[in-house]
Amino acid sequence: GQQLNQSPQSMFIQEGEDVSMNCTSSSIFNTWLWYKQEPGEGPVLLIALYKAGELTSNGRLTAQFGITRKDSFLNISASIPSDVGIYFCAGHPLNPQGGSEKLVFGKGTKLTVNP
Amino acid sequence: SAVISQKPSRDICQRGTSLTIQCQVDSQVTMMFWYRQQPGQSLTLIATANQGSEATYESGFVIDKFPISRPNLTFSTLTVSNMSPEDSSIYLCSVVKGWETQYFGPGTRLLVL
């Protein structure tokens, strides 16, 4: 089945730094979703992207749907300690009929922010 | 968005027993799913909970082990049957609202001794 390659696996940064993570695939995707999961919680949707080239912001977070439809990135600007968590990319791959397959997840990027 | 609640939030169970997890959504949804997240791992889809018909299971998951009910468009249950320590995971309910936008519940943390 389709796989998402999410990188980096983990990041250790200082408060105030910017963060960038990305997901790539060999398959075309119809939708890209970015989630944050904190310890003891379920994944929380941060940003949803629906078409190639789309660039969407949510506060200090910005995500883009790659123009090839095979990748997406998430940037966090001016990180703060509460940004700590695991960030997952996910997407709906294109199926042969032109619709979407079920949601596929990356393995996550664990973010640690040092105050 | 969707507001999803799950019960219980966590449980410790003995091997060989069963646990039923409930998922309640604040509005009617067509698509509802159950996921498993093993420690330190990403999310794995167990099944799609279909209202009025049998759930659709993913490869590696069977109805006898994970029976699912979906009596209406706002509620579903997942039962983890005849549990073993390998079933220790977070179990997550998820729904789709809008166009392919998927939301997750807070999860049920299960520890099997």
Side-chain angles (χ1 to χ4, degrees):
Chain A
Q2 295 89 349
Q3 291 192 354
L4 286 180
N5 302 307
Q6 184 172 352
S7 64
Q9 189 174 354
S10 62
M11 301 182 75
F12 298 83
I13 62 169
Q14 293 296 124
E15 184 177 359
E17 290 183 358
D18 297 343
V19 172
S20 184
M21 59 191 79
N22 69 84
C23 267
T24 61
S25 175
S26 58
S27 303
I28 291 174
F29 279 68
N30 282 337
T31 313
W32 286 96
L33 306 170
W34 284 91
Y35 295 89
K36 179 187 178 185
Q37 187 175 28
E38 298 185 37
E41 304 290 332
V44 174
L45 182 65
L46 300 173
I47 293 179
L49 302 161
Y50 302 105
K51 63 178 185 179
E54 182 179 357
L55 183 70
T56 298
S57 293
N58 177 5
R60 293 178 295 104
L61 278 62
T62 301
Q64 185 160 30
F65 193 140
I67 197 71
T68 65
R69 298 175 67 186
K70 295 182 178 181
D71 62 335
S72 177
F73 72 74
L74 173 71
N75 289 340
I76 305 172
S77 63
S79 58
I80 59 178
S82 62
D83 290 333
V84 164
I86 301 176
Y87 291 79
F88 289 99
C89 66
H92 289 283
L94 175 71
N95 69 21
Q97 293 74 37
S100 295
E101 299 285 357
K102 292 172 188 165
L103 197 62
V104 175
F105 278 85
K107 294 187 182 299
T109 295
K110 185 176 182 179
L111 179 63
T112 302
V113 180
N114 296 315
Chain B
S1 66
V3 178
I4 305 169
S5 60
Q6 287 185 231
K7 289 182 187 178
S9 59
R10 60 180 65 244
D11 208 341
I12 301 173
C13 301
Q14 297 298 318
R15 70 171 67 210
T17 63
S18 298
L19 176 72
T20 295
I21 302 167
Q22 298 179 5
C23 175
Q24 180 75 52
V25 191
D26 67 334
S27 58
Q28 292 186 341
V29 292
T30 303
M31 305 293 288
M32 186 178 277
F33 306 93
W34 286 98
Y35 285 78
R36 181 173 74 182
Q37 186 178 28
Q38 296 181 300
Q41 302 296 314
S42 188
L43 285 75
T44 300
L45 180 62
I46 298 173
T48 303
N50 300 309
Q51 196 266 331
S53 64
E54 200 169 273
T56 305
Y57 290 84
E58 298 299 304
S59 175
F61 298 96
V62 295
I63 188 171
D64 289 347
K65 176 67 176 178
F66 296 101
I68 288 170
S69 78
R70 179 91 191 269
N72 56 53
L73 293 176
T74 63
F75 186 81
S76 177
T77 67
L78 168 75
T79 299
V80 187
S81 303
N82 188 24
M83 289 184 284
S84 67
E86 292 71 34
D87 294 320
S88 297
S89 287
I90 302 172
Y91 291 87
L92 294 149
C93 173
S94 178
V95 304
V96 173
K97 289 211 77 173
W99 191 61
E100 295 190 352
T101 307
Q102 202 158 325
Y103 299 89
F104 287 83
T108 295
R109 277 139 201 85
L110 172 62
L111 177 62
V112 184
L113 302 177

